[in-house]
């Protein structure tokens, strides 16, 4: 096997692309007759590949993967005595003291992956660094969209999406296109769309939605229904490298490698749309 790139951004792309190719192989081998088995096999194959390659090529770095045992557990030290007692289960994970942490989602969008013909699923690979200069401290990332035969990465950030939306109230202005879950859209989204003059564009995984904003197929993605760090880290890294706005729905900074890996809401959009969307969100969900 060829040695992977040394630079972290290119390495993230290499990892995401390799995992994506492995997932395409699982799909081809198993078919779609048993969706549950296909989902399980895809998660395992991609997770094992990413974990193996990270252990081989970045052994000093910590990893947070969706498929790790206990990945969703929040660490809270009740008191000094409990923190020293392994039986209490509160010992902090190694990632919280690490200088660098890879945050990975081996298969984002298992539902779409298991459905024949769907291409809106992804592989996420991001690198958080304690020395990162951006507020989110993500220093590299890649989002592979294997069934679309493309990878978006911070090593080669795409150009800023072309302007398609006019100012609010402009006559004949194209409507804002909001990427939305095709199966579980947040209840507030319809009202938000009406408020900002938007149309909903249904699609699958979080990675696919943010990729659509990065590429200009959508103008914004708003989520407030519960996610974890691995759902957004890599797409946010690429989006901000492109020059897009990314924040919590109240406008505060996105934070990664936190003791609680829950990161329940976010907005990714064109910078010129951010003030409109954030103001509308205050009206609709009371942030």
């Amino acid at each position: 096997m060829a040695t992977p790139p040394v630079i972290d951004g290119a390495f993230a792309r290499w990892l995401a692309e390799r995992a994506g190719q492995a997932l395409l192989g699982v799909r081809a081998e198993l078919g779609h007759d048993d969706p549950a088995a296909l989902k399980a096999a895809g998660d395992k194959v991609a997770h094992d590949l990413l974990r193996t390659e990270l252990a081989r090529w970045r052994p000093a770095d910590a990893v947070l993967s969706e498929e790790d045992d206990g990945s969703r557990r929040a660490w809270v030290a009740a008191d000094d005595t409990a923190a020293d007692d392994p039986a209490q289960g509160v010992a902090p994970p190694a990632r919280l003291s690490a200088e660098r942490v890879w945050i990975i989602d081996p298969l984002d969008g298992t539902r779409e992956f298991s459905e024949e013909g769907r291409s809106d699923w992804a592989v996420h690979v991001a690198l958080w660094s304690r020395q990162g200069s951006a507020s989110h401290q993500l220093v590299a990332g890649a989002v592979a969209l294997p069934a679309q035969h493309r990878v978006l990465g911070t090593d080669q950030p795409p150009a800023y999406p072309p302007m398609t939306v006019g100012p609010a109230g402009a006559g004949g202005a194209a409507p804002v296109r909001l990427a939305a879950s095709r199966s579980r859209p947040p209840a507030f989204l319809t009202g938000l769309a009406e408020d900002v003059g938007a149309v909903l564009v249904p699609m699958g995984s979080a990675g696919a939605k943010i990729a659509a904003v990065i590429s200009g197929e959508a103008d914004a993605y708003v989520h407030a229904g519960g996610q974890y760090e691995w759902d957004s880290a890599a797409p946010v890294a690429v989006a901000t490298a492109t020059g897009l706005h990314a924040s919590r729905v109240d406008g505060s900074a996105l934070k990664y490698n936190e003791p609680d890996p829950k990161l329940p809401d976010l907005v990714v959009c064109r910078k010129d749309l951010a003030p409109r969307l954030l103001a509308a969100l205050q009206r609709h969900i009371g942030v």
Side-chain angles (χ1 to χ4, degrees):
M1 182 188 67
T3 301
V6 173
I7 302 300
D8 289 322
F11 179 66
R13 177 186 292 270
W14 180 84
L15 280 176
E17 188 168 24
R18 289 202 67 218
Q21 290 301 313
L23 286 166
L24 289 175
V26 171
R27 245 186 168 193
E29 180 181 353
L30 297 185
H32 295 80
D33 293 339
D34 187 341
L38 182 57
K39 291 176 186 177
D43 276 333
K44 178 173 172 47
V45 164
H47 171 76
D48 289 350
L49 185 152
L50 292 172
R51 271 293 198 170
T52 297
E53 298 300 352
L54 285 167
R56 179 178 182 183
W57 299 108
R58 296 293 191 273
D61 296 347
V63 181
L64 172 62
S65 170
E66 179 184 17
E67 299 306 314
D68 287 334
D69 291 339
S71 61
R72 290 169 172 78
R73 185 179 303 127
W75 177 74
V76 178
D79 54 50
D80 291 341
T81 301
D84 291 336
D85 182 1
Q88 299 297 315
V90 294
R95 65 180 178 83
L96 293 181
S97 58
E99 289 296 313
R100 292 160 42 102
V101 181
W102 293 90
I103 303 173
I104 61 175
D105 190 343
L107 175 51
D108 180 56
T110 53
R111 180 195 296 259
E112 288 73 28
F113 175 73
S114 69
E115 294 181 16
E116 189 169 6
R118 294 208 69 91
S119 63
D120 45 350
W121 51 276
V123 177
H124 298 176
V125 177
L127 175 61
W128 175 94
S129 171
R130 197 167 300 280
Q131 306 305 316
S133 58
S135 58
H136 52 48
Q137 295 179 275
L138 300 170
V139 296
V143 178
L145 300 149
Q148 299 177 30
H149 307 291
R150 59 179 177 143
V151 182
L152 305 176
T154 56
D155 62 323
Q156 301 172 28
Y160 194 78
M163 174 67 77
T164 61
V165 181
V176 175
R177 298 163 299 168
L178 282 179
S181 170
R182 67 188 184 95
S183 58
R184 299 180 300 276
F188 70 86
L189 203 55
T190 300
L192 178 70
E194 292 175 356
D195 192 341
V196 299
V199 294
L200 301 183
V201 183
M203 61 185 70
S205 75
K209 295 184 189 77
I210 299 175
V213 180
I214 293 168
S215 63
E217 301 161 55
D219 301 300
Y221 170 50
V222 179
H223 183 83
Q227 287 183 345
Y228 289 85
E229 292 184 6
W230 49 77
D231 290 307
S232 64
V236 163
V238 180
T240 53
T242 302
L244 293 165
H245 170 89
S247 71
R248 301 287 299 271
V249 295
D250 64 358
S252 62
L254 294 160
K255 299 288 187 180
Y256 294 90
N257 195 35
E258 294 291 290
D260 186 347
K262 284 184 179 178
L263 189 52
D265 58 78
L266 81 160
V267 179
V268 178
C269 66
R270 300 182 54 89
K271 284 190 174 178
D272 49 290
L273 290 178
R276 283 171 63 187
L277 284 177
L278 293 172
L281 281 163
Q282 288 184 345
R283 295 190 290 271
H284 286 274
I285 61 177
V287 295

